[in-house]
Structure formats: structure tokens, C-alpha cells
Amino acid sequence: MTPHSSSATPVAGRAQLHKPALLHALADPALGAISFLNEVIDRFPQAISFAPGAPFAKFFDDLDVARHIERYERHLVEDKGLTPARAKRRLYQYGPAQGVINDLLARALRIDHGMDVAPEAIVVTVGCQEAMVLALRALCPTPDDLLAIVNPCFVGIAGAAKVLGIDPVAIDETSSGVDLGALDRACIAARRDGQRIRALYVAPDFSNPSGTLMDLPTRHALLAAARAHDFLLLEDDAYGFTAESGSALPTLKALDAEGRVIYLGTCAKICLPGVRVGFMVADQEVVDEAGKTTLLASELTLIKSMLTVNTSPICQAIVGGMMLEHDGSLAAVGREKALLYRRNLRHLLDALSRHLPPALCAQQHVSWNEPQGGFFVRVRLPVVADYALLERCAARHGVLWTPMSSFFLDGAGRHELRLACSYLTPEEIDEGVARFARFVADDKLMRSS
Ligand SMILES: Cc1ncc(COP(=O)(O)O)c(C=O)c1O
């Protein structure tokens, strides 16, 4: 079984559109993978689900959205000198396309990452997803402008590329981050074919789905490769906040002396996903034919103004209020959450070791990686871990996961699955792993494909 869209009953007399005449990417099963997964989750409500990388829902119990908005409004009046009426208008009217909390985000990036970024170089977006779309749209205007993606990858970047008609070039992830030799070869091959790799998407800090942490020498080497082959890096930092305190490596953007990195941020995991606020740092200079220079952020804002007009100022106020309540730091907003996610990840890895001792793993040819942060663990099985096996696993053992092949650009990862630890309590993780161990020991499923 493959992911699909929900069906509709034809009604006589109603207009029908022919799918082949619509956007070709709509026929790509990858675009339906997430809704299919949600559908499976709905069909097995008793199952414990390691599938969604969604935040732990208990965090929302104490959320006081009104307090955060009020805090931001007070900031506009007391610190920025707006009249109360103007402060209200800032929140409730259409707002500037580039964003309203750019100054607070610039301060947070300085406090949290030592990044020196001007507010004018930041665009506040409707989630990180919009930031990806803006970057791809601007950087890849012709079929000869290629996007390289570290493979496997977040479905959002592969999906954005497909929707925009950009053919991605897969560069394999390695245990140290990225296969630099393959990247080098891909750049040379593109040039030989009259094309150009314009950017590489990478999540150096606990990538989704692998949990890989790029080491420091690879970060430096990647920046050098970007310089040598003249491309930009799209750095997605969705999970960096989960690093053990004091152990975080510098972001690519913090190491970037030349403006090679567009930094992509999301408030979904640190604040709340429902706020749909993300942001991008695009401090590259753009020169037009008359020699006039602008910031890339301004050009991206022009695209945004025709896509989503502006990011909800009310939602930005919630994020702004949260940062102000934490002395301007976004990392501090996420500190308690990071503790919980680290605890959950340790718990998941411990439970896997307990329930799947080495003898059973050897007998069943099962293994997994051990990330130091992020939300995810990759498990390798002796059989194809596809949606058919997922359904059988849910029906027989009451546990759900995500097939890793959903995250590969090239059909690889067929024998692997992803477990997410963010959404569950430690008790649910224990019970879920006990069920998962029964699935792994189930010879009927483990010898089937
Ligand atoms: C790697 C990565 N980037 C970004 C996001 C979130 O993006 P958004 O801010 O659009 O929710 C996610 C969410 O799962 C993710 O895994």
C-alpha cells in the first residue's frame, strides 16, 4: 500500500479537473505521505505512536497566550514609545511583510548563538516552511539552478522543492554530517552539464530524521566548499535547542564570515507549532544591473508579500512576549522543553537496549543509532519497513512508526524506520518499546518481505 489522497465521490453535473493537467508534483506519493501517516494513526487509536515529531502536548496546559501578547504590547509602549492605540494597531492590522519582531529575534540570535545579525536581515515567516519556499523560489529561478539536499531529509524541504518544480540533487548524510566528496563531485558534474548548484539544504544539529550532529571540522569544510563552488547553505536549526547545555557546536551561520549561510529558524518546537512563526536570516548582498545593492532579506520579503502578505502579528506577539519574559533569549524559552526532550531521548534509547538485548538484535538483525539530541532514532530491520508493514505492526502489536524511505530522495532507506520520542510520556515510551520489541521478535513479520 502506498500513501494516497482521500477520495471523493463524483457528482453528475459537476466540473472535473484532470490530474495530469495539474501540478505534476501532486501525483508524487511523497506529498501524500504525511496525511497517510495521520490516517493510519487515526485508524489505530489504541496504538502507541512513535510517528509524529510533534511537541509534547502537556506543555500547552500552562500556556497563557493572552499574557504573552500583553507582555509584547507593553514592550511596544514602554520600550518602543508607541501610544497604546498604535501598539494595538501593530497587532491587529495588516503588518509589514518582513515582520514585527525582527529586532527581538536579532537580539535572541546574539544572546543564544553569538550571531551578529541586523534586524533588517531577518524575515519573519509563516513557519520555517515558508522560509524554505522563499529561499528556493528566489535562488532557483531556472531549471539549471539546482538545489542540493543532504539525504535523508525533512519532508518539508523535499516537498517544497517538488511543489516549485525544482529537481533536488541528493548528497548523502554521513556520521560526521555530509559526504563532502559527493558534494564536490555533484558541483563539478552540474557545471559540466551547464547547470549550477545554487544551495545546499542541511540541518547540522540533530537532523530530522537521523539525529545526526555535524562535527566542527565538517562545518568548516562545508563553508569552504560553499566558497569554492560558490553556493549558499540553507541551515535548518529546528533541533539545535535540544543540545546538552554547554555542548552546543557553533551554528554554520555563527561561523559564516562571508555571508554564505541563510539561517532558517522555527518557533514550532521552542514555543508552539500552532503559532506558525518561523524566520530566516538572509544577510547576503544583492546587486542589481544598475549597481544598486539591497539585502537578500528585502528581495525575499517581496516574494513573501505576494505569498502570505505578512506573518500574523498576533502570533509574532506571542513569540515576542515569550522572549521578553525570558530576558530576550529564545533558547531560554525552550530550556525546560529541551530538558524533557533529552530525558525522553535517553529514555527511548535505554528502553530499546532493555527490551531488545544484543542476543535478540543479533538474531533478528536489528540495530539503531544513538543520537545525542533531537527527537529521532533510526532503526534498521531485516525486512522492508514500508506502509504495509506499518499497518500490520499497528494491527498486531499496537505500535506506530514512520518508514524511513519517506525521508529519502532516492528511494533508499527501505529497511529502516524512524522513532520519534517528543510526543510521549516516559511510561508511554516504555510500553511502546515493549510492543516494538514484540514486533521485532514476531517472525511472521520479520521474515515476510
Ligand atoms: C527539520 C525541520 N525543520 C523545520 C520544521 C518545522 O517547520 P515549521 O516552522 O514550518 O513548523 C520541522 C518540523 O518538523 C523540522 O523537522
Side-chain angles (χ1 to χ4, degrees):
M1 178 173 286
T2 50
H4 57 271
S5 319
S6 53
S7 55
T9 318
V11 179
R14 302 273 309 162
Q16 270 196 337
L17 301 176
H18 287 278
K19 195 151 174 170
L22 299 179
L23 178 69
H24 289 177
L26 292 172
D28 191 319
L31 252 55
I34 292 189
S35 38
F36 183 74
L37 202 57
N38 289 334
E39 193 194 303
V40 177
I41 293 169
D42 285 347
R43 257 190 294 133
F44 296 95
Q46 304 307 325
I48 291 181
S49 180
F50 289 106
F56 189 60
K58 273 254 171 292
F59 283 131
F60 309 145
D61 289 355
D62 300 329
L63 191 68
D64 185 351
V65 164
R67 185 182 84 230
H68 297 308
I69 294 177
E70 197 275 329
R71 178 69 189 83
Y72 181 71
E73 229 177 307
R74 197 147 45 82
H75 160 75
L76 289 181
V77 174
E78 291 175 4
D79 306 332
K80 297 276 179 185
L82 269 63
T83 62
R86 275 194 67 201
K88 281 249 172 300
R89 271 207 302 280
R90 176 73 58 89
L91 261 63
Y92 302 142
Q93 265 296 5
Y94 286 109
Q98 195 162 349
V100 291
I101 57 167
N102 309 44
D103 54 341
L104 294 181
L105 287 168
R107 179 155 71 123
L109 291 171
R110 190 162 303 116
I111 296 169
D112 298 338
H113 298 288
M115 286 184 207
D116 194 15
V117 169
E120 303 75 52
I122 295 175
V123 187
V124 186
T125 51
V126 180
C128 189
Q129 188 65 30
E130 191 195 17
M132 294 180 198
V133 171
L134 296 179
L136 300 197
R137 187 66 294 168
L139 295 176
C140 302
T142 79
D144 290 333
D145 299 305
L146 307 180
L147 171 74
I149 300 182
V150 176
N151 186 43
C153 65
F154 173 48
V155 289
I157 187 71
K162 282 177 180 159
V163 165
L164 294 172
I166 298 166
D167 232 355
V169 179
I171 307 292
D172 282 347
E173 190 172 57
T174 63
S175 57
S176 57
V178 57
D179 184 340
L180 291 163
L183 177 59
D184 210 42
R185 289 191 294 279
C187 291
I188 293 166
R191 224 173 298 130
R192 188 193 55 218
D193 297 342
Q195 299 178 310
R196 208 178 126 193
I197 290 183
R198 298 298 304 271
L200 171 81
Y201 167 88
V202 59
D205 292 279
F206 314 120
S207 62
N208 175 8
S210 303
T212 301
L213 177 68
M214 182 180 289
D215 63 26
L216 192 55
T218 307
R219 289 176 197 236
H220 284 293
L222 188 53
L223 284 160
R227 184 186 316 124
H229 292 292
D230 192 21
F231 62 80
L232 295 183
L233 294 166
L234 304 180
E235 177 182 31
D236 183 339
D237 192 17
Y239 300 101
F241 79 103
T242 64
E244 190 79 54
S245 64
S247 77
L249 293 175
T251 62
L252 291 169
K253 188 68 195 159
L255 298 170
D256 174 28
E258 284 184 16
R260 289 270 159 209
V261 181
I262 296 178
Y263 178 86
L264 308 173
T266 173
C267 299
K269 318 287 171 176
I270 291 180
C271 302
L272 62 156
V275 83
R276 302 303 301 134
V277 173
F279 58 94
M280 64 203 302
V281 177
D283 56 0
Q284 291 69 26
E285 282 178 14
V286 178
V287 192
D288 73 9
E289 280 162 343
K292 184 171 165 257
T293 307
T294 52
L295 281 178
L296 179 59
S298 310
E299 308 300 327
L300 296 169
T301 300
L302 290 175
I303 305 176
K304 178 179 168 64
S305 69
M306 292 297 143
L307 194 62
T308 55
V309 182
N310 60 246
T311 303
S312 159
I314 297 175
C315 292
Q316 293 185 65
I318 296 170
V319 171
M322 286 176 148
M323 286 191 281
L324 289 162
E325 209 169 78
H326 289 83
D327 296 326
S329 163
L330 199 51
V333 175
R335 200 150 286 144
E336 200 191 316
K337 297 182 178 88
L339 272 175
L340 180 134
Y341 294 132
R342 278 202 297 278
R343 180 203 70 190
N344 272 15
L345 182 60
R346 261 197 312 273
H347 207 88
L348 173 58
L349 291 168
D350 289 350
L352 283 168
S353 302
R354 255 184 297 114
H355 289 283
L356 290 161
L360 178 63
C361 289
Q363 181 194 317
Q364 299 296 75
H365 304 284
V366 171
S367 60
W368 57 88
N369 69 343
E370 300 206 343
Q372 299 158 44
F375 286 8
F376 310 108
V377 173
R378 265 172 91 164
V379 180
R380 171 164 272 279
L381 297 183
V383 290
V384 172
D386 58 8
Y387 284 93
L389 186 68
L390 173 64
E391 291 218 64
R392 296 179 76 195
C393 174
R396 285 168 71 94
H397 298 289
V399 63
L400 291 160
W401 34 263
T402 312
M404 270 295 290
S405 53
S406 317
F407 304 105
F408 278 88
L409 297 163
D410 50 6
R414 281 162 34 85
H415 289 80
E416 288 184 82
L417 57 87
R418 186 194 78 174
L419 301 176
C421 69
S422 53
Y423 189 65
L424 302 170
T425 63
E427 295 71 33
E428 288 167 331
I429 291 174
D430 276 335
E431 174 56 25
V433 174
R435 294 181 190 188
F436 186 76
R438 289 197 284 277
F439 156 66
V440 165
D442 184 341
D443 282 337
K444 219 167 172 173
L445 299 188
M446 285 302 121
R447 311 257 180 268
S448 61
S449 39

